[in-house]
Amino acid sequence: MSESNITQALVTSLRAEIAGLAVGDRLPSARDLVRRHGVSPVTVTRAFALLAAEGAVVTRPGSGTFVAARRSSRDGSADGVADTSWQTVVLADRTMPAPSEGELLGPPASGAITMAGGYLHRSLQPTKALAAALARAARRPDAWDRAPTAGLAPLRAIFARQAGGDVGAGDVLITSGGQSALSMAFRAIAAPGSPILVESPTYPGALVAARAAGLRPVPVPLDADGIRPDLLADAFATTGARLLYCQPTFHNPTGAVLSPERRRQVVDVARAAGAFLVEDDFARHLGHGAPVPRALVADDRDGTVVHVTSLTKPASPSLRIGAVVARGPVMERLRAMRRVDDFFIARPLQEAAVELLSAPAWERHLRALANALRERCAALVTALAREVPGWLPGQLPAGGLHLWVRMSAGHDHAAVEAARARGVVISAGREYFAAEAPGDYLRLGFAATADLGELAEGARRLGA
């Protein structure tokens, strides 16, 4: 009898045996089957592999082979629901961060007014300029060629000029948006289990990225002038952290701008601690008309600052183009991670970004956007003063997309649910804190609504 026939005969015998067992029962060991059927260990291994492929058994190294959940050929399981419980053991304690409150509440109802989220409404996006840039990029003869790992040289040069100082194109790595850049930077700099200092409050996406990298966020309070250097120095000394994440310009969610005297102090404190400072400069193009401070990286010559920026906020959420600016070994590590993660960013999108940023329409868009954001911010403050005077922010932001409002104790979650019931989506403040929040807050956005009329209607509903 051929080896294949011997294997098939053993499979048939085991199928009959499995039919009389319950799910989870252990099958005889390979040694028992060799002795009972007079076959070789290789034959037993092949038989178990065939049965596993059929979904009849599951093999657990070191434990044995067990009867799997019964499956039908029509829907994959006896009751129509796939059994993925085995994954719990494999994934062990490698948990991902919990979803935000907005995700737990589900998608907004049709017709709801969105005063949450962090992207521009379509009416504020440079859609015509984006379409023209994409069309011009598509006509390039090399548009579908492989892009360099670090990104297209012209695009890197543009981001270098935006960063300022003596930053050059060689210091820039193109990324797939800002969130990807943060994830790369956190994983490149800090080992799992390490602390990472963050402003309190801070951007929830940074907290998620840090925890997904196995880092432990440690909050450092801020005030109207940004993160407090005295408490930052204490945090470095207490935790031994070697990484700080901060948003010096138009901080999300408070809108604070790190004051001129503190900008130098914060970098000096990080350098003295032998730590990196990840500067999230996502809002550089979201000012409301006033001059925007220089990026921290522009005055950093020692490689302390790792600068992260993106085009998704001022342009479109689907323009997934960002950049990391770094110097020294950390940049080499980032480039190595790029080669492991995804090789390079899609060239057509990079070409489109070059076309967009090089066209006169981009500067016109930024000027119009600044005027529109300033107008919307003022309109929302006026509407809140009329409809919900207790919800006025402590300070008006000079840039960004949101107002940060302090609530009465214990009312933030109730306000979010009540607003949703009236067709308005807002964000509770608790998800912006790495630890216990010092109070109850709301984040109210003014850039995701269709127009000023919708903002006024949203405020009226909130007043209800």
Side-chain angles (χ1 to χ4, degrees), residues 19-374:
L21 298 175
V23 173
D25 283 354
R26 190 174 186 274
L27 270 68
S29 67
R31 182 177 299 176
D32 290 340
L33 292 174
V34 167
R35 185 171 55 252
R36 184 193 306 176
H37 294 275
V39 296
S40 69
V42 173
T43 298
V44 174
T45 300
R46 289 173 177 169
F48 277 157
L50 289 171
L51 290 169
E54 295 174 2
V57 301
V58 58
T59 299
R60 298 170 188 154
S63 299
T65 302
F66 301 84
V67 178
R70 308 287 192 239
R71 298 179 182 273
S72 70
S73 59
R74 181 174 59 87
D75 57 24
S77 69
D79 56 3
V81 179
D83 179 14
T84 59
S85 58
W86 63 272
Q87 295 183 7
T88 303
V89 177
V90 177
L91 296 174
D93 61 347
R94 290 172 288 169
T95 56
M96 291 297 290
S100 68
E101 183 173 7
E103 292 171 321
L104 291 172
L105 291 172
S110 177
I113 296 174
T114 300
M115 299 173 70
Y119 295 115
L120 301 176
H121 187 270
R122 187 180 303 151
S123 62
L124 296 177
Q125 297 173 20
T127 51
K128 290 183 179 179
L130 283 165
L134 195 60
R136 291 194 299 271
R139 290 195 293 269
R140 291 177 178 267
D142 56 352
W144 290 99
D145 289 354
R146 172 174 175 158
T149 297
L152 298 181
L155 185 57
R156 294 161 64 199
I158 292 173
F159 278 116
R161 288 196 298 272
Q162 290 181 1
D166 62 352
V167 174
D171 303 321
V172 178
L173 174 70
I174 302 302
T175 66
S176 179
Q179 189 68 23
S180 173
L182 287 181
S183 177
M184 289 180 65
F186 292 166
R187 289 182 289 128
I189 295 171
S194 302
I196 174 175
L197 304 186
V198 300
E199 295 152 317
S200 182
T202 192
Y203 167 50
L207 296 177
V208 170
R211 288 171 176 142
L215 308 183
R216 296 183 292 105
V218 178
V220 181
L222 52 73
D223 56 24
D225 292 323
I227 193 168
R228 292 180 50 182
D230 56 336
L231 297 180
L232 176 62
D234 291 343
F236 273 124
T238 301
T239 64
R242 293 294 181 266
L243 177 58
L244 162 67
Y245 166 78
C246 71
Q247 307 165 78
T249 304
F250 309 136
H251 172 268
N252 177 16
T254 67
V257 177
L258 195 60
S259 65
E261 59 274 15
R262 287 190 184 181
R263 298 179 88 82
R264 186 69 260 167
Q265 292 174 0
V266 167
V267 177
D268 288 344
V269 168
R271 182 182 297 112
F276 286 96
L277 186 161
V278 173
E279 175 189 23
D280 189 348
D281 201 29
F282 76 99
R284 176 151 299 273
H285 298 306
L286 301 179
H288 296 176
V292 180
R294 280 163 62 94
L296 298 183
V297 74
D299 299 311
D300 171 51
R301 294 182 176 273
D302 303 313
T304 298
V305 178
V306 175
H307 177 88
V308 171
T309 187
S310 170
L311 296 178
T312 59
K313 298 296 185 183
S316 165
S318 285
L319 187 59
R320 305 303 301 172
I321 292 291
V324 176
V325 176
R327 294 185 173 106
V330 70
M331 174 54 88
E332 296 307 314
R333 183 171 293 188
L334 286 165
R335 287 174 178 156
M337 293 181 69
R338 158 55 40 73
R339 288 189 287 269
V340 171
D341 285 354
D342 49 14
F343 297 115
F344 56 89
I345 303 303
R347 183 162 188 150
L349 205 56
Q350 291 193 60
E351 297 281 10
V354 171
E355 292 285 351
L356 176 69
L357 299 178
S358 303
W362 177 245
E363 291 300 327
R364 291 197 298 271
H365 162 67
L366 293 181
R367 289 193 295 271
L369 179 60
N371 293 333
L373 292 179
R374 182 175 62 251

